[in-house]
Every structure is written in C-alpha cells, then in structure tokens.
Amino acid sequence: QVQLVESGGGLVQPGGSLTLSCAASGFTFGNYAMSWYRQAPGKERELVASISRRGTTNYADSVKGRFTISRDNAKNTVYLQMNSLKPEDTAVYYCTVPMGPKRYWGQGIQVTVSS
C-alpha cells in the first residue's frame, strides 16, 4: 500500500531554515510527480511546491525564491528545503502523490515559525 511519511518539522525562528523529508513506499516512486501542500489554522490546504518525474519544479508565489523542492529517486524521498522562514509559513505540511483519480497524503508534519 502507498505510504508517505514526513519528517524534519519543528519550531524555528523567523529567518531560519528547515528541511522536510518525505519517505515514500508502496509504489514506483520515480514514475510519479510529487508535491508538498500546507494547511494553516483556519485556512484551506494549499499547494506549496511540486516536482515532476523528470525534476521540473513549480512553486506557489508566496514561497518562490525561499523554498526548494527536490527528489532522490534512489532513496524514494522528496525534500522541501525552506529558507528565510516567516511566521506566515506556520502550518502543517503534507507530502502527496496523485495516482489517477486518487491522491494519497502523508500524515502531515507541523512547522512553526516563531520567536
């Protein structure tokens, strides 16, 4: 079965950095695009960044120039490097993979940006 397990979240001060990881299993990782979404309290879940099978990336305007998505197909892992973090980046971050009509989600991981 498809499993996505996020790690690397936590509390960081404004201006700091974190790297999230998502370990995938149960499917042929290299054949699928991967994405990171986030959901802040009281807000809808939103796309943060995505990466295609071949490594083409796409970012939300709010994170362009600060966040970098990457993947290691040998390790079945997708990463989200987050720099220059702001309080408004505080959210639960989710790793996700679409497969046809269904989208699979990780359990989510909390990122809190606060002094």
Side-chain angles (χ1 to χ4, degrees):
Q1 69 279 19
V2 174
Q3 285 194 317
L4 302 169
V5 180
E6 300 98 338
S7 61
L11 173 65
V12 63
Q13 291 188 342
S17 298
L18 278 177
T19 298
L20 303 183
S21 300
C22 172
S25 61
F27 63 103
T28 306
F29 181 78
N31 287 353
Y32 292 90
M34 300 293 297
S35 300
W36 287 95
Y37 279 67
R38 67 185 180 187
Q39 187 166 19
K43 294 189 177 181
E44 293 189 355
R45 196 171 293 189
E46 63 175 357
L47 176 66
V48 176
S50 60
I51 185 165
S52 72
R53 294 179 299 164
R54 292 181 175 83
T56 301
T57 58
N58 182 56
Y59 298 93
D61 287 343
S62 59
V63 307
K64 278 181 183 175
R66 300 188 298 122
F67 289 13
T68 302
I69 188 171
S70 61
R71 65 189 299 158
D72 186 335
N73 290 343
K75 294 183 178 180
N76 288 358
T77 301
V78 61
Y79 304 95
L80 186 68
Q81 172 69 44
M82 304 184 293
N83 298 326
S84 302
L85 282 160
K86 304 176 181 180
E88 50 264 42
D89 294 318
T90 295
V92 178
Y93 284 72
Y94 297 90
C95 173
T96 179
V97 57
M99 292 185 182
K102 188 174 175 68
R103 179 178 287 276
Y104 292 88
W105 299 87
Q107 80 284 356
I109 193 160
Q110 179 69 45
V111 171
T112 302
V113 185
S114 175
S115 55

